[in-house]
Amino acid sequence: MARKSWIQRENKRQKLEQKYHSSRQFSKKKIKQSKAVPLSESKLKEIYRRLQSLPRNSSPIRLHRRCFLTGRPRANYRDFGLSGHILREMVFECLLPGATRSSW
């Protein structure tokens, strides 16, 4: 099991990312448009300042996928949302239809 504090921190990051998603996308869209149609330097600086004033944890790149059952941050499979060893245990217990066991 992962530490409860780490899981709570990850949940907080997800909420922040959802809260500031639209403002971050709006600022990025304006910056991308400014490359096609140049803006004045002061307006461009204002857009960058607004983007940088957002909380650091609201960035989607800081989110980390965790196992649905255990909270483990590594070896996660996107299709199932589970870590590797939990996935293997579920396959051995025939809880995942269509998945085959491998043993060597």
Side-chain angles (χ1 to χ4, degrees):
M1 287 294 287
R3 283 190 182 169
K4 300 284 185 189
S5 60
W6 290 347
I7 294 172
Q8 292 303 318
R9 189 180 308 151
E10 201 66 36
N11 290 340
K12 183 179 177 183
R13 284 183 183 146
Q14 286 177 351
K15 288 177 186 174
L16 274 174
E17 196 273 331
Q18 290 172 358
K19 181 178 179 183
Y20 291 104
H21 179 76
S22 60
S23 60
R24 185 176 295 276
Q25 291 301 320
F26 179 74
S27 296
K28 286 190 172 197
K29 185 177 177 184
K30 285 288 187 185
I31 291 170
K32 191 178 263 189
Q33 287 175 352
S34 72
K35 296 188 191 244
V37 178
L39 294 175
S40 68
E41 190 173 325
S42 62
K43 287 184 180 179
L44 193 58
K45 281 185 178 181
E46 176 64 27
I47 294 170
Y48 275 114
R49 188 195 61 74
R50 197 177 326 139
L51 185 62
Q52 289 176 352
S53 68
L54 296 175
R56 183 176 288 176
N57 280 336
S58 69
S59 175
I61 202 74
R62 292 177 70 95
L63 293 177
H64 203 283
R65 234 182 358 261
R66 289 187 172 269
C67 176
F68 180 70
L69 292 177
T70 60
R72 181 178 159 87
R74 297 185 180 187
N76 284 311
Y77 288 85
R78 275 186 208 168
D79 298 337
F80 301 103
L82 299 170
S83 61
H85 72 281
I86 297 293
L87 184 68
R88 188 169 190 268
E89 288 174 5
M90 291 179 80
V91 168
F92 280 148
E93 294 171 4
C94 299
L95 296 175
L96 292 175
T100 57
R101 300 192 299 207
S102 65
S103 59
W104 56 90

PDB file of all heavy atoms in Angstrom, residues 20-56:
ATOM      1  N   TYR A  20      -7.986  24.562 -12.842  1.00  0.00           N
ATOM      2  CA  TYR A  20      -7.278  25.539 -13.665  1.00  0.00           C
ATOM      3  C   TYR A  20      -7.105  25.097 -15.111  1.00  0.00           C
ATOM      4  O   TYR A  20      -6.389  25.745 -15.867  1.00  0.00           O
ATOM      5  CB  TYR A  20      -5.904  25.812 -13.060  1.00  0.00           C
ATOM      6  CG  TYR A  20      -5.962  26.556 -11.753  1.00  0.00           C
ATOM      7  CD1 TYR A  20      -5.753  25.904 -10.550  1.00  0.00           C
ATOM      8  CD2 TYR A  20      -6.242  27.910 -11.715  1.00  0.00           C
ATOM      9  CE1 TYR A  20      -5.817  26.578  -9.347  1.00  0.00           C
ATOM     10  CE2 TYR A  20      -6.311  28.596 -10.526  1.00  0.00           C
ATOM     11  CZ  TYR A  20      -6.092  27.922  -9.346  1.00  0.00           C
ATOM     12  OH  TYR A  20      -6.156  28.597  -8.165  1.00  0.00           O
ATOM     13  N   HIS A  21      -7.759  24.026 -15.506  1.00  0.00           N
ATOM     14  CA  HIS A  21      -7.592  23.488 -16.859  1.00  0.00           C
ATOM     15  C   HIS A  21      -7.998  24.508 -17.928  1.00  0.00           C
ATOM     16  O   HIS A  21      -7.263  24.743 -18.892  1.00  0.00           O
ATOM     17  CB  HIS A  21      -8.401  22.202 -17.017  1.00  0.00           C
ATOM     18  CG  HIS A  21      -8.296  21.596 -18.380  1.00  0.00           C
ATOM     19  ND1 HIS A  21      -7.181  20.908 -18.787  1.00  0.00           N
ATOM     20  CD2 HIS A  21      -9.145  21.598 -19.434  1.00  0.00           C
ATOM     21  CE1 HIS A  21      -7.356  20.504 -20.039  1.00  0.00           C
ATOM     22  NE2 HIS A  21      -8.547  20.911 -20.444  1.00  0.00           N
ATOM     23  N   SER A  22      -9.142  25.132 -17.761  1.00  0.00           N
ATOM     24  CA  SER A  22      -9.632  26.053 -18.800  1.00  0.00           C
ATOM     25  C   SER A  22      -8.757  27.294 -18.912  1.00  0.00           C
ATOM     26  O   SER A  22      -8.465  27.753 -20.030  1.00  0.00           O
ATOM     27  CB  SER A  22     -11.082  26.447 -18.521  1.00  0.00           C
ATOM     28  OG  SER A  22     -11.171  27.080 -17.266  1.00  0.00           O
ATOM     29  N   SER A  23      -8.315  27.850 -17.792  1.00  0.00           N
ATOM     30  CA  SER A  23      -7.476  29.045 -17.867  1.00  0.00           C
ATOM     31  C   SER A  23      -6.112  28.726 -18.470  1.00  0.00           C
ATOM     32  O   SER A  23      -5.551  29.519 -19.231  1.00  0.00           O
ATOM     33  CB  SER A  23      -7.308  29.676 -16.488  1.00  0.00           C
ATOM     34  OG  SER A  23      -6.707  28.779 -15.609  1.00  0.00           O
ATOM     35  N   ARG A  24      -5.569  27.539 -18.163  1.00  0.00           N
ATOM     36  CA  ARG A  24      -4.286  27.134 -18.744  1.00  0.00           C
ATOM     37  C   ARG A  24      -4.432  26.940 -20.256  1.00  0.00           C
ATOM     38  O   ARG A  24      -3.583  27.391 -21.032  1.00  0.00           O
ATOM     39  CB  ARG A  24      -3.799  25.845 -18.088  1.00  0.00           C
ATOM     40  CG  ARG A  24      -2.441  25.399 -18.529  1.00  0.00           C
ATOM     41  CD  ARG A  24      -1.995  24.165 -17.770  1.00  0.00           C
ATOM     42  NE  ARG A  24      -1.817  24.431 -16.355  1.00  0.00           N
ATOM     43  CZ  ARG A  24      -0.707  24.953 -15.826  1.00  0.00           C
ATOM     44  NH1 ARG A  24       0.294  25.256 -16.602  1.00  0.00           N
ATOM     45  NH2 ARG A  24      -0.615  25.151 -14.532  1.00  0.00           N
ATOM     46  N   GLN A  25      -5.502  26.291 -20.688  1.00  0.00           N
ATOM     47  CA  GLN A  25      -5.720  26.081 -22.119  1.00  0.00           C
ATOM     48  C   GLN A  25      -5.931  27.393 -22.852  1.00  0.00           C
ATOM     49  O   GLN A  25      -5.452  27.576 -23.974  1.00  0.00           O
ATOM     50  CB  GLN A  25      -6.925  25.143 -22.336  1.00  0.00           C
ATOM     51  CG  GLN A  25      -6.673  23.723 -21.897  1.00  0.00           C
ATOM     52  CD  GLN A  25      -5.507  23.097 -22.616  1.00  0.00           C
ATOM     53  OE1 GLN A  25      -5.319  23.286 -23.807  1.00  0.00           O
ATOM     54  NE2 GLN A  25      -4.692  22.362 -21.876  1.00  0.00           N
ATOM     55  N   PHE A  26      -6.647  28.336 -22.226  1.00  0.00           N
ATOM     56  CA  PHE A  26      -6.890  29.641 -22.837  1.00  0.00           C
ATOM     57  C   PHE A  26      -5.568  30.378 -23.050  1.00  0.00           C
ATOM     58  O   PHE A  26      -5.321  30.926 -24.125  1.00  0.00           O
ATOM     59  CB  PHE A  26      -7.825  30.459 -21.945  1.00  0.00           C
ATOM     60  CG  PHE A  26      -8.115  31.827 -22.481  1.00  0.00           C
ATOM     61  CD1 PHE A  26      -8.956  32.004 -23.554  1.00  0.00           C
ATOM     62  CD2 PHE A  26      -7.508  32.938 -21.910  1.00  0.00           C
ATOM     63  CE1 PHE A  26      -9.219  33.269 -24.049  1.00  0.00           C
ATOM     64  CE2 PHE A  26      -7.757  34.202 -22.387  1.00  0.00           C
ATOM     65  CZ  PHE A  26      -8.612  34.378 -23.469  1.00  0.00           C
ATOM     66  N   SER A  27      -4.702  30.373 -22.035  1.00  0.00           N
ATOM     67  CA  SER A  27      -3.415  31.064 -22.152  1.00  0.00           C
ATOM     68  C   SER A  27      -2.541  30.411 -23.215  1.00  0.00           C
ATOM     69  O   SER A  27      -1.901  31.107 -24.024  1.00  0.00           O
ATOM     70  CB  SER A  27      -2.685  31.052 -20.815  1.00  0.00           C
ATOM     71  OG  SER A  27      -3.407  31.776 -19.855  1.00  0.00           O
ATOM     72  N   LYS A  28      -2.516  29.098 -23.243  1.00  0.00           N
ATOM     73  CA  LYS A  28      -1.707  28.410 -24.243  1.00  0.00           C
ATOM     74  C   LYS A  28      -2.230  28.656 -25.661  1.00  0.00           C
ATOM     75  O   LYS A  28      -1.462  28.772 -26.612  1.00  0.00           O
ATOM     76  CB  LYS A  28      -1.657  26.919 -23.942  1.00  0.00           C
ATOM     77  CG  LYS A  28      -0.780  26.598 -22.769  1.00  0.00           C
ATOM     78  CD  LYS A  28      -0.577  25.114 -22.657  1.00  0.00           C
ATOM     79  CE  LYS A  28       0.465  24.841 -21.601  1.00  0.00           C
ATOM     80  NZ  LYS A  28       0.999  23.505 -21.715  1.00  0.00           N
ATOM     81  N   LYS A  29      -3.547  28.733 -25.787  1.00  0.00           N
ATOM     82  CA  LYS A  29      -4.143  29.004 -27.091  1.00  0.00           C
ATOM     83  C   LYS A  29      -3.756  30.401 -27.574  1.00  0.00           C
ATOM     84  O   LYS A  29      -3.440  30.607 -28.742  1.00  0.00           O
ATOM     85  CB  LYS A  29      -5.664  28.868 -26.988  1.00  0.00           C
ATOM     86  CG  LYS A  29      -6.394  28.996 -28.278  1.00  0.00           C
ATOM     87  CD  LYS A  29      -7.880  28.777 -28.063  1.00  0.00           C
ATOM     88  CE  LYS A  29      -8.665  28.979 -29.324  1.00  0.00           C
ATOM     89  NZ  LYS A  29     -10.105  28.848 -29.085  1.00  0.00           N
ATOM     90  N   LYS A  30      -3.763  31.373 -26.662  1.00  0.00           N
ATOM     91  CA  LYS A  30      -3.384  32.744 -27.012  1.00  0.00           C
ATOM     92  C   LYS A  30      -1.908  32.808 -27.440  1.00  0.00           C
ATOM     93  O   LYS A  30      -1.558  33.517 -28.375  1.00  0.00           O
ATOM     94  CB  LYS A  30      -3.600  33.682 -25.825  1.00  0.00           C
ATOM     95  CG  LYS A  30      -5.037  34.006 -25.567  1.00  0.00           C
ATOM     96  CD  LYS A  30      -5.548  34.915 -26.641  1.00  0.00           C
ATOM     97  CE  LYS A  30      -6.940  35.390 -26.298  1.00  0.00           C
ATOM     98  NZ  LYS A  30      -7.515  36.192 -27.369  1.00  0.00           N
ATOM     99  N   ILE A  31      -1.055  32.068 -26.755  1.00  0.00           N
ATOM    100  CA  ILE A  31       0.367  32.056 -27.111  1.00  0.00           C
ATOM    101  C   ILE A  31       0.560  31.444 -28.489  1.00  0.00           C
ATOM    102  O   ILE A  31       1.329  31.949 -29.310  1.00  0.00           O
ATOM    103  CB  ILE A  31       1.177  31.300 -26.041  1.00  0.00           C
ATOM    104  CG1 ILE A  31       1.203  32.096 -24.743  1.00  0.00           C
ATOM    105  CG2 ILE A  31       2.592  31.018 -26.524  1.00  0.00           C
ATOM    106  CD1 ILE A  31       1.752  31.344 -23.566  1.00  0.00           C
ATOM    107  N   LYS A  32      -0.166  30.365 -28.754  1.00  0.00           N
ATOM    108  CA  LYS A  32      -0.054  29.718 -30.064  1.00  0.00           C
ATOM    109  C   LYS A  32      -0.559  30.644 -31.173  1.00  0.00           C
ATOM    110  O   LYS A  32       0.020  30.714 -32.256  1.00  0.00           O
ATOM    111  CB  LYS A  32      -0.848  28.413 -30.066  1.00  0.00           C
ATOM    112  CG  LYS A  32      -0.589  27.547 -31.276  1.00  0.00           C
ATOM    113  CD  LYS A  32      -1.351  26.259 -31.196  1.00  0.00           C
ATOM    114  CE  LYS A  32      -0.438  25.185 -30.665  1.00  0.00           C
ATOM    115  NZ  LYS A  32      -1.043  23.844 -30.753  1.00  0.00           N
ATOM    116  N   GLN A  33      -1.636  31.382 -30.904  1.00  0.00           N
ATOM    117  CA  GLN A  33      -2.166  32.322 -31.896  1.00  0.00           C
ATOM    118  C   GLN A  33      -1.209  33.482 -32.125  1.00  0.00           C
ATOM    119  O   GLN A  33      -1.133  34.027 -33.226  1.00  0.00           O
ATOM    120  CB  GLN A  33      -3.523  32.864 -31.449  1.00  0.00           C
ATOM    121  CG  GLN A  33      -4.646  31.875 -31.541  1.00  0.00           C
ATOM    122  CD  GLN A  33      -5.947  32.421 -30.971  1.00  0.00           C
ATOM    123  OE1 GLN A  33      -5.971  33.498 -30.376  1.00  0.00           O
ATOM    124  NE2 GLN A  33      -7.021  31.664 -31.133  1.00  0.00           N
ATOM    125  N   SER A  34      -0.479  33.859 -31.095  1.00  0.00           N
ATOM    126  CA  SER A  34       0.440  34.985 -31.227  1.00  0.00           C
ATOM    127  C   SER A  34       1.601  34.657 -32.158  1.00  0.00           C
ATOM    128  O   SER A  34       2.224  35.553 -32.697  1.00  0.00           O
ATOM    129  CB  SER A  34       0.967  35.411 -29.860  1.00  0.00           C
ATOM    130  OG  SER A  34       1.877  34.457 -29.379  1.00  0.00           O
ATOM    131  N   LYS A  35       1.898  33.377 -32.324  1.00  0.00           N
ATOM    132  CA  LYS A  35       2.974  33.014 -33.255  1.00  0.00           C
ATOM    133  C   LYS A  35       2.523  33.213 -34.697  1.00  0.00           C
ATOM    134  O   LYS A  35       3.324  33.553 -35.553  1.00  0.00           O
ATOM    135  CB  LYS A  35       3.411  31.579 -33.004  1.00  0.00           C
ATOM    136  CG  LYS A  35       4.007  31.417 -31.626  1.00  0.00           C
ATOM    137  CD  LYS A  35       4.607  30.079 -31.411  1.00  0.00           C
ATOM    138  CE  LYS A  35       4.911  29.933 -29.954  1.00  0.00           C
ATOM    139  NZ  LYS A  35       6.213  29.803 -29.571  1.00  0.00           N
ATOM    140  N   ALA A  36       1.226  33.018 -34.969  1.00  0.00           N
ATOM    141  CA  ALA A  36       0.706  33.230 -36.318  1.00  0.00           C
ATOM    142  C   ALA A  36       0.484  34.723 -36.578  1.00  0.00           C
ATOM    143  O   ALA A  36       0.865  35.243 -37.619  1.00  0.00           O
ATOM    144  CB  ALA A  36      -0.601  32.471 -36.499  1.00  0.00           C
ATOM    145  N   VAL A  37      -0.154  35.395 -35.611  1.00  0.00           N
ATOM    146  CA  VAL A  37      -0.404  36.832 -35.709  1.00  0.00           C
ATOM    147  C   VAL A  37       0.310  37.481 -34.527  1.00  0.00           C
ATOM    148  O   VAL A  37      -0.175  37.413 -33.401  1.00  0.00           O
ATOM    149  CB  VAL A  37      -1.923  37.147 -35.654  1.00  0.00           C
ATOM    150  CG1 VAL A  37      -2.155  38.637 -35.714  1.00  0.00           C
ATOM    151  CG2 VAL A  37      -2.654  36.415 -36.751  1.00  0.00           C
ATOM    152  N   PRO A  38       1.463  38.093 -34.759  1.00  0.00           N
ATOM    153  CA  PRO A  38       2.260  38.612 -33.643  1.00  0.00           C
ATOM    154  C   PRO A  38       1.512  39.666 -32.818  1.00  0.00           C
ATOM    155  O   PRO A  38       0.842  40.539 -33.350  1.00  0.00           O
ATOM    156  CB  PRO A  38       3.469  39.229 -34.335  1.00  0.00           C
ATOM    157  CG  PRO A  38       3.529  38.593 -35.670  1.00  0.00           C
ATOM    158  CD  PRO A  38       2.126  38.264 -36.037  1.00  0.00           C
ATOM    159  N   LEU A  39       1.638  39.549 -31.499  1.00  0.00           N
ATOM    160  CA  LEU A  39       1.082  40.525 -30.568  1.00  0.00           C
ATOM    161  C   LEU A  39       2.188  41.473 -30.134  1.00  0.00           C
ATOM    162  O   LEU A  39       3.367  41.230 -30.368  1.00  0.00           O
ATOM    163  CB  LEU A  39       0.517  39.816 -29.333  1.00  0.00           C
ATOM    164  CG  LEU A  39      -0.694  38.914 -29.520  1.00  0.00           C
ATOM    165  CD1 LEU A  39      -1.009  38.209 -28.216  1.00  0.00           C
ATOM    166  CD2 LEU A  39      -1.896  39.721 -29.971  1.00  0.00           C
ATOM    167  N   SER A  40       1.776  42.539 -29.465  1.00  0.00           N
ATOM    168  CA  SER A  40       2.798  43.431 -28.913  1.00  0.00           C
ATOM    169  C   SER A  40       3.518  42.704 -27.786  1.00  0.00           C
ATOM    170  O   SER A  40       2.991  41.770 -27.176  1.00  0.00           O
ATOM    171  CB  SER A  40       2.159  44.715 -28.396  1.00  0.00           C
ATOM    172  OG  SER A  40       1.362  44.427 -27.273  1.00  0.00           O
ATOM    173  N   GLU A  41       4.713  43.139 -27.505  1.00  0.00           N
ATOM    174  CA  GLU A  41       5.540  42.469 -26.515  1.00  0.00           C
ATOM    175  C   GLU A  41       4.916  42.536 -25.127  1.00  0.00           C
ATOM    176  O   GLU A  41       4.985  41.580 -24.356  1.00  0.00           O
ATOM    177  CB  GLU A  41       6.928  43.100 -26.494  1.00  0.00           C
ATOM    178  CG  GLU A  41       7.915  42.329 -25.677  1.00  0.00           C
ATOM    179  CD  GLU A  41       9.307  42.890 -25.807  1.00  0.00           C
ATOM    180  OE1 GLU A  41       9.664  43.355 -26.893  1.00  0.00           O
ATOM    181  OE2 GLU A  41      10.011  42.840 -24.794  1.00  0.00           O
ATOM    182  N   SER A  42       4.277  43.642 -24.801  1.00  0.00           N
ATOM    183  CA  SER A  42       3.668  43.782 -23.471  1.00  0.00           C
ATOM    184  C   SER A  42       2.477  42.827 -23.294  1.00  0.00           C
ATOM    185  O   SER A  42       2.304  42.240 -22.227  1.00  0.00           O
ATOM    186  CB  SER A  42       3.218  45.225 -23.242  1.00  0.00           C
ATOM    187  OG  SER A  42       2.238  45.589 -24.189  1.00  0.00           O
ATOM    188  N   LYS A  43       1.684  42.662 -24.360  1.00  0.00           N
ATOM    189  CA  LYS A  43       0.546  41.735 -24.274  1.00  0.00           C
ATOM    190  C   LYS A  43       1.022  40.298 -24.139  1.00  0.00           C
ATOM    191  O   LYS A  43       0.460  39.512 -23.376  1.00  0.00           O
ATOM    192  CB  LYS A  43      -0.353  41.874 -25.503  1.00  0.00           C
ATOM    193  CG  LYS A  43      -1.166  43.131 -25.525  1.00  0.00           C
ATOM    194  CD  LYS A  43      -2.094  43.166 -26.711  1.00  0.00           C
ATOM    195  CE  LYS A  43      -2.913  44.442 -26.715  1.00  0.00           C
ATOM    196  NZ  LYS A  43      -3.810  44.498 -27.873  1.00  0.00           N
ATOM    197  N   LEU A  44       2.073  39.970 -24.877  1.00  0.00           N
ATOM    198  CA  LEU A  44       2.619  38.613 -24.806  1.00  0.00           C
ATOM    199  C   LEU A  44       3.200  38.335 -23.420  1.00  0.00           C
ATOM    200  O   LEU A  44       2.997  37.259 -22.855  1.00  0.00           O
ATOM    201  CB  LEU A  44       3.677  38.423 -25.886  1.00  0.00           C
ATOM    202  CG  LEU A  44       4.136  36.995 -26.147  1.00  0.00           C
ATOM    203  CD1 LEU A  44       2.953  36.111 -26.544  1.00  0.00           C
ATOM    204  CD2 LEU A  44       5.191  36.972 -27.218  1.00  0.00           C
ATOM    205  N   LYS A  45       3.877  39.308 -22.848  1.00  0.00           N
ATOM    206  CA  LYS A  45       4.413  39.158 -21.494  1.00  0.00           C
ATOM    207  C   LYS A  45       3.292  38.985 -20.483  1.00  0.00           C
ATOM    208  O   LYS A  45       3.419  38.222 -19.526  1.00  0.00           O
ATOM    209  CB  LYS A  45       5.272  40.354 -21.118  1.00  0.00           C
ATOM    210  CG  LYS A  45       6.643  40.314 -21.709  1.00  0.00           C
ATOM    211  CD  LYS A  45       7.482  41.463 -21.208  1.00  0.00           C
ATOM    212  CE  LYS A  45       8.869  41.388 -21.771  1.00  0.00           C
ATOM    213  NZ  LYS A  45       9.726  42.494 -21.290  1.00  0.00           N
ATOM    214  N   GLU A  46       2.202  39.684 -20.692  1.00  0.00           N
ATOM    215  CA  GLU A  46       1.051  39.562 -19.783  1.00  0.00           C
ATOM    216  C   GLU A  46       0.450  38.154 -19.849  1.00  0.00           C
ATOM    217  O   GLU A  46       0.094  37.573 -18.823  1.00  0.00           O
ATOM    218  CB  GLU A  46      -0.010  40.607 -20.149  1.00  0.00           C
ATOM    219  CG  GLU A  46      -1.280  40.518 -19.352  1.00  0.00           C
ATOM    220  CD  GLU A  46      -1.077  40.782 -17.873  1.00  0.00           C
ATOM    221  OE1 GLU A  46      -0.132  41.505 -17.514  1.00  0.00           O
ATOM    222  OE2 GLU A  46      -1.872  40.247 -17.075  1.00  0.00           O
ATOM    223  N   ILE A  47       0.381  37.590 -21.038  1.00  0.00           N
ATOM    224  CA  ILE A  47      -0.144  36.230 -21.183  1.00  0.00           C
ATOM    225  C   ILE A  47       0.779  35.236 -20.483  1.00  0.00           C
ATOM    226  O   ILE A  47       0.314  34.348 -19.749  1.00  0.00           O
ATOM    227  CB  ILE A  47      -0.313  35.874 -22.676  1.00  0.00           C
ATOM    228  CG1 ILE A  47      -1.399  36.740 -23.312  1.00  0.00           C
ATOM    229  CG2 ILE A  47      -0.677  34.408 -22.838  1.00  0.00           C
ATOM    230  CD1 ILE A  47      -1.473  36.628 -24.813  1.00  0.00           C
ATOM    231  N   TYR A  48       2.087  35.381 -20.687  1.00  0.00           N
ATOM    232  CA  TYR A  48       3.040  34.498 -20.027  1.00  0.00           C
ATOM    233  C   TYR A  48       2.992  34.655 -18.514  1.00  0.00           C
ATOM    234  O   TYR A  48       3.091  33.682 -17.773  1.00  0.00           O
ATOM    235  CB  TYR A  48       4.464  34.759 -20.524  1.00  0.00           C
ATOM    236  CG  TYR A  48       4.807  34.016 -21.791  1.00  0.00           C
ATOM    237  CD1 TYR A  48       5.052  34.697 -22.974  1.00  0.00           C
ATOM    238  CD2 TYR A  48       4.899  32.634 -21.802  1.00  0.00           C
ATOM    239  CE1 TYR A  48       5.375  34.028 -24.135  1.00  0.00           C
ATOM    240  CE2 TYR A  48       5.216  31.945 -22.961  1.00  0.00           C
ATOM    241  CZ  TYR A  48       5.455  32.642 -24.117  1.00  0.00           C
ATOM    242  OH  TYR A  48       5.771  31.967 -25.269  1.00  0.00           O
ATOM    243  N   ARG A  49       2.838  35.887 -18.041  1.00  0.00           N
ATOM    244  CA  ARG A  49       2.765  36.129 -16.602  1.00  0.00           C
ATOM    245  C   ARG A  49       1.529  35.454 -16.015  1.00  0.00           C
ATOM    246  O   ARG A  49       1.582  34.837 -14.945  1.00  0.00           O
ATOM    247  CB  ARG A  49       2.724  37.624 -16.296  1.00  0.00           C
ATOM    248  CG  ARG A  49       2.834  37.938 -14.817  1.00  0.00           C
ATOM    249  CD  ARG A  49       2.447  39.359 -14.493  1.00  0.00           C
ATOM    250  NE  ARG A  49       1.072  39.667 -14.840  1.00  0.00           N
ATOM    251  CZ  ARG A  49      -0.007  39.248 -14.168  1.00  0.00           C
ATOM    252  NH1 ARG A  49       0.126  38.472 -13.125  1.00  0.00           N
ATOM    253  NH2 ARG A  49      -1.211  39.598 -14.549  1.00  0.00           N
ATOM    254  N   ARG A  50       0.412  35.524 -16.720  1.00  0.00           N
ATOM    255  CA  ARG A  50      -0.818  34.885 -16.257  1.00  0.00           C
ATOM    256  C   ARG A  50      -0.658  33.363 -16.211  1.00  0.00           C
ATOM    257  O   ARG A  50      -1.110  32.708 -15.272  1.00  0.00           O
ATOM    258  CB  ARG A  50      -1.973  35.253 -17.182  1.00  0.00           C
ATOM    259  CG  ARG A  50      -3.325  34.991 -16.578  1.00  0.00           C
ATOM    260  CD  ARG A  50      -4.482  35.424 -17.451  1.00  0.00           C
ATOM    261  NE  ARG A  50      -4.212  36.616 -18.236  1.00  0.00           N
ATOM    262  CZ  ARG A  50      -4.582  36.767 -19.513  1.00  0.00           C
ATOM    263  NH1 ARG A  50      -5.213  35.809 -20.137  1.00  0.00           N
ATOM    264  NH2 ARG A  50      -4.309  37.877 -20.167  1.00  0.00           N
ATOM    265  N   LEU A  51       0.023  32.818 -17.204  1.00  0.00           N
ATOM    266  CA  LEU A  51       0.250  31.372 -17.235  1.00  0.00           C
ATOM    267  C   LEU A  51       1.183  30.939 -16.102  1.00  0.00           C
ATOM    268  O   LEU A  51       0.961  29.918 -15.459  1.00  0.00           O
ATOM    269  CB  LEU A  51       0.839  30.974 -18.587  1.00  0.00           C
ATOM    270  CG  LEU A  51       1.037  29.485 -18.853  1.00  0.00           C
ATOM    271  CD1 LEU A  51      -0.301  28.763 -18.829  1.00  0.00           C
ATOM    272  CD2 LEU A  51       1.722  29.279 -20.175  1.00  0.00           C
ATOM    273  N   GLN A  52       2.196  31.731 -15.830  1.00  0.00           N
ATOM    274  CA  GLN A  52       3.140  31.382 -14.779  1.00  0.00           C
ATOM    275  C   GLN A  52       2.587  31.629 -13.385  1.00  0.00           C
ATOM    276  O   GLN A  52       3.109  31.092 -12.409  1.00  0.00           O
ATOM    277  CB  GLN A  52       4.445  32.166 -14.960  1.00  0.00           C
ATOM    278  CG  GLN A  52       5.229  31.685 -16.153  1.00  0.00           C
ATOM    279  CD  GLN A  52       6.472  32.513 -16.395  1.00  0.00           C
ATOM    280  OE1 GLN A  52       6.675  33.535 -15.755  1.00  0.00           O
ATOM    281  NE2 GLN A  52       7.286  32.077 -17.330  1.00  0.00           N
ATOM    282  N   SER A  53       1.538  32.423 -13.281  1.00  0.00           N
ATOM    283  CA  SER A  53       0.963  32.690 -11.966  1.00  0.00           C
ATOM    284  C   SER A  53       0.063  31.549 -11.478  1.00  0.00           C
ATOM    285  O   SER A  53      -0.314  31.532 -10.306  1.00  0.00           O
ATOM    286  CB  SER A  53       0.153  33.989 -11.994  1.00  0.00           C
ATOM    287  OG  SER A  53      -1.006  33.826 -12.786  1.00  0.00           O
ATOM    288  N   LEU A  54      -0.249  30.606 -12.365  1.00  0.00           N
ATOM    289  CA  LEU A  54      -1.059  29.460 -11.951  1.00  0.00           C
ATOM    290  C   LEU A  54      -0.245  28.585 -10.994  1.00  0.00           C
ATOM    291  O   LEU A  54       0.981  28.541 -11.070  1.00  0.00           O
ATOM    292  CB  LEU A  54      -1.481  28.643 -13.176  1.00  0.00           C
ATOM    293  CG  LEU A  54      -2.392  29.342 -14.176  1.00  0.00           C
ATOM    294  CD1 LEU A  54      -2.618  28.454 -15.379  1.00  0.00           C
ATOM    295  CD2 LEU A  54      -3.695  29.729 -13.546  1.00  0.00           C
ATOM    296  N   PRO A  55      -0.911  27.865 -10.099  1.00  0.00           N
ATOM    297  CA  PRO A  55      -0.177  26.995  -9.171  1.00  0.00           C
ATOM    298  C   PRO A  55       0.609  25.919  -9.919  1.00  0.00           C
ATOM    299  O   PRO A  55       0.175  25.405 -10.950  1.00  0.00           O
ATOM    300  CB  PRO A  55      -1.285  26.348  -8.331  1.00  0.00           C
ATOM    301  CG  PRO A  55      -2.460  27.203  -8.499  1.00  0.00           C
ATOM    302  CD  PRO A  55      -2.343  27.868  -9.823  1.00  0.00           C
ATOM    303  N   ARG A  56       1.751  25.591  -9.389  1.00  0.00           N
ATOM    304  CA  ARG A  56       2.618  24.610 -10.033  1.00  0.00           C
ATOM    305  C   ARG A  56       1.953  23.239 -10.091  1.00  0.00           C
ATOM    306  O   ARG A  56       2.087  22.513 -11.071  1.00  0.00           O
ATOM    307  CB  ARG A  56       3.936  24.527  -9.266  1.00  0.00           C
ATOM    308  CG  ARG A  56       4.924  23.595  -9.889  1.00  0.00           C
ATOM    309  CD  ARG A  56       6.223  23.614  -9.166  1.00  0.00           C
ATOM    310  NE  ARG A  56       6.909  24.862  -9.429  1.00  0.00           N
ATOM    311  CZ  ARG A  56       8.050  25.208  -8.868  1.00  0.00           C
ATOM    312  NH1 ARG A  56       8.614  24.413  -7.991  1.00  0.00           N
ATOM    313  NH2 ARG A  56       8.628  26.338  -9.172  1.00  0.00           N
TER     314      ARG A  56
END
